[in-house]
Amino acid sequence: NDTVLIVGAGHAGFQVAVSLRQAKYTGRIVLINDEKHLPYQRPPLSKAYLKSGGDPASLMFRPEKFFHDQTIELISDRAVAIDRAAKTLLLGSGEKMEYGHLVLATGARNRQLDVPNATLGDVLYLRTLDESEQVRQRMPEKKQVVVIGAGFIGLEFAATARGKGLEVDVVELAPRVMARAVTPEISNYFHDRHTAAGIRIHYGVRATEIAGEDGRVTGVSLSDGRTLPADLVVVGVGVIPNVELAAAAGLPTASGVIVDENLLTEDPNISAIGDCSLFNSVRFGEVMRLESVQNATDQARCVAARLTGDTKAYDGYPWFWSDQGDDKLQIAGLTAGFDQVVIRGSVAERSFSAFCYKDGQLIGIESVNRAADHVFGRKILPLGKSITPEQAMDVSFDLKKAMA
Ligand code: FAD
């Protein structure tokens, strides 16, 4: 059976289908997705799409004709069970589909806010196109938003909402923004930028209750006893990987579907990629799960290569971006675990990078409005090359030459 069934048509699932056809795969390819849209991009949902006139077509990877021309079948349904012995996938409609290979690209879902009144109508999330569209449509009639969570999505939304003239409060349990993902230098910069724009950020507090009246949101109560007024609440408190389909089929799962260095589950006929995949990274010598477009698309390419005869351990190099207001943050590498940070460029001029070192070796670069440093990182970090902290700090040191 040369049918490849792909569950999930996000960045990972879509890319497997495309890469298979690019590699001249002639078997049947079916993309199964439970969202009623053509496969689309998620990053604009917390940024450009909210500022736009609301044209979903602008988010689509490709128009419908592309899937037709490439003979990539799209099925709008939910995959509900895998029968590994029979190599079949059961859909919500009751249809049973046979596969030669099954790719799980089920992504992740929003972690729900678990406080009283969290299900009120104006408590919204930003993961899907439908959710973003809801936020986009409601913003013009709202005055005061409380954002719960100062991660990438919360801050991107906060900057957009403030740009549209809303009063914005951000509630964050950690002592700084994006604390799990970036160095304090970058957190401090974005704290300053967001507060200068008039956003109030409240650290070290958690939301304990959504205050409401007649079914409408009126505020958010905090663990320090205060209540912040609000007529809209946007929650960005992380995601939960969608592992249930794999787990119910007896595949090992933890904080993701467990796969080896080739992105294969314990079953040689089932791969798992993207946000749902807990993979064994040969490059970093550890098990990890990443949430980024780079990870989803590079893992998809790796699986497509394997299915067309070119088996290699997954070796993609992590990079990421986040647009917040007028600032572009770009990250190359995994910066967690650094023991030294040096700054290149000028924070005051809003063009700088944090070069992160561990044991004297460069492990990652976080850049703000400084694309050249990011490009440098993406070029030399995967090669295990480094420059000294002194060279990094010296703007007259030529990065281009060091790349050659
Ligand atoms: P997803 O995109 O989550 O797609 C999985 C799909 O599978 C979903 O459509 C889901 O409904 C479907 N599905 C799940 N289970 C089933 C089932 N049983 N049957 C059928 N269908 C199913 N990354 C960056 O690098 N830069 C950014 O700036 C950035 N911004 C972001 C902004 C937002 C608002 C969000 C939400 C994410 C952002 N990301 C960003 C992260 C990036 O979008 C994700 O890492 C990426 O979408 C992961 O792709 P995926 O295909 O693994 O999962």
Side-chain angles (χ1 to χ4, degrees), residues 8 11-12 33-35 42 47 79 106-107 127 275 292-293 321:
H11 287 264
N33 202 40
D34 61 1
E35 291 189 63
R42 274 183 217 287
K47 334 176 174 52
T106 50
R127 175 88 199 171
D275 279 15
S292 71
V293 168
W321 80 94

Side-chain angles (χ1 to χ4, degrees), residues 238-302:
V239 296
I240 298 172
N242 293 321
V243 303
E244 290 76 7
L245 183 64
L251 293 169
T253 61
S255 59
V257 181
I258 296 176
V259 293
D260 65 12
E261 62 278 11
N262 294 312
L263 310 175
L264 264 180
T265 65
E266 188 182 87
D267 184 327
N269 302 309
I270 307 179
S271 305
I273 56 172
D275 279 15
C276 75
S277 164
L278 187 67
F279 65 100
N280 184 2
S281 167
V282 177
R283 181 186 284 282
F284 294 101
E286 54 185 280
V287 168
M288 56 179 73
R289 191 179 70 78
L290 298 175
E291 293 164 14
S292 71
V293 168
Q294 170 281 322
N295 180 67
T297 53
D298 283 351
Q299 291 198 334
R301 291 186 185 98
C302 177

Side-chain angles (χ1 to χ4, degrees), residues 62-302:
R62 292 287 198 288
E64 196 158 6
K65 182 175 180 310
F66 170 85
F67 297 94
H68 180 76
D69 292 349
Q70 296 285 320
T71 32
I72 296 169
E73 296 169 47
L74 295 176
I75 293 186
S76 179
D77 201 347
R78 190 164 172 77
V80 291
I82 305 165
D83 182 337
R84 287 166 53 196
K87 291 173 72 177
T88 57
L89 180 72
L90 179 66
L91 304 186
S93 65
E95 186 184 352
K96 225 177 228 180
M97 302 189 73
E98 290 182 5
Y99 62 81
H101 198 85
L102 179 65
V103 181
L104 301 176
T106 50
R109 60 183 180 274
N110 293 312
R111 184 180 293 282
Q112 301 288 314
L113 186 67
D114 184 19
V115 302
N117 281 336
T119 53
L120 285 180
D122 280 321
V123 180
L124 302 179
Y125 292 79
L126 280 170
R127 175 88 199 171
T128 64
L129 170 51
D130 291 351
E131 287 170 340
S132 178
E133 179 58 20
Q134 213 175 18
V135 172
R136 195 190 68 80
Q137 284 182 13
R138 291 206 196 165
M139 268 202 293
E141 67 203 44
K142 302 296 180 189
K143 292 193 170 56
Q144 287 189 303
V145 59
V146 170
V147 180
I148 302 182
F152 294 115
I153 291 173
L155 292 178
E156 288 172 358
F157 168 74
T160 306
R162 185 70 194 133
K164 283 182 168 285
L166 277 80
E167 290 292 326
V168 183
D169 288 272
V170 178
V171 177
E172 171 57 55
L173 190 56
R176 60 185 177 92
V177 298
M178 301 177 281
R180 281 185 308 131
V182 301
T183 54
E185 284 76 358
I186 298 292
S187 294
N188 293 343
Y189 174 81
F190 279 96
H191 168 93
D192 290 349
R193 292 285 296 157
H194 289 309
T195 49
I199 296 171
R200 294 171 292 266
I201 309 180
H202 311 270
Y203 296 103
V205 281
R206 66 166 81 233
T208 53
E209 182 171 357
I210 306 297
E213 220 178 271
D214 303 330
R216 301 187 80 86
V217 168
T218 56
V220 175
S221 303
L222 304 182
S223 49
D224 63 3
R226 286 180 297 156
T227 296
L228 302 171
D231 51 12
L232 177 67
V233 176
V234 170
V235 184
V237 294
V239 296
I240 298 172
N242 293 321
V243 303
E244 290 76 7
L245 183 64
L251 293 169
T253 61
S255 59
V257 181
I258 296 176
V259 293
D260 65 12
E261 62 278 11
N262 294 312
L263 310 175
L264 264 180
T265 65
E266 188 182 87
D267 184 327
N269 302 309
I270 307 179
S271 305
I273 56 172
D275 279 15
C276 75
S277 164
L278 187 67
F279 65 100
N280 184 2
S281 167
V282 177
R283 181 186 284 282
F284 294 101
E286 54 185 280
V287 168
M288 56 179 73
R289 191 179 70 78
L290 298 175
E291 293 164 14
S292 71
V293 168
Q294 170 281 322
N295 180 67
T297 53
D298 283 351
Q299 291 198 334
R301 291 186 185 98
C302 177

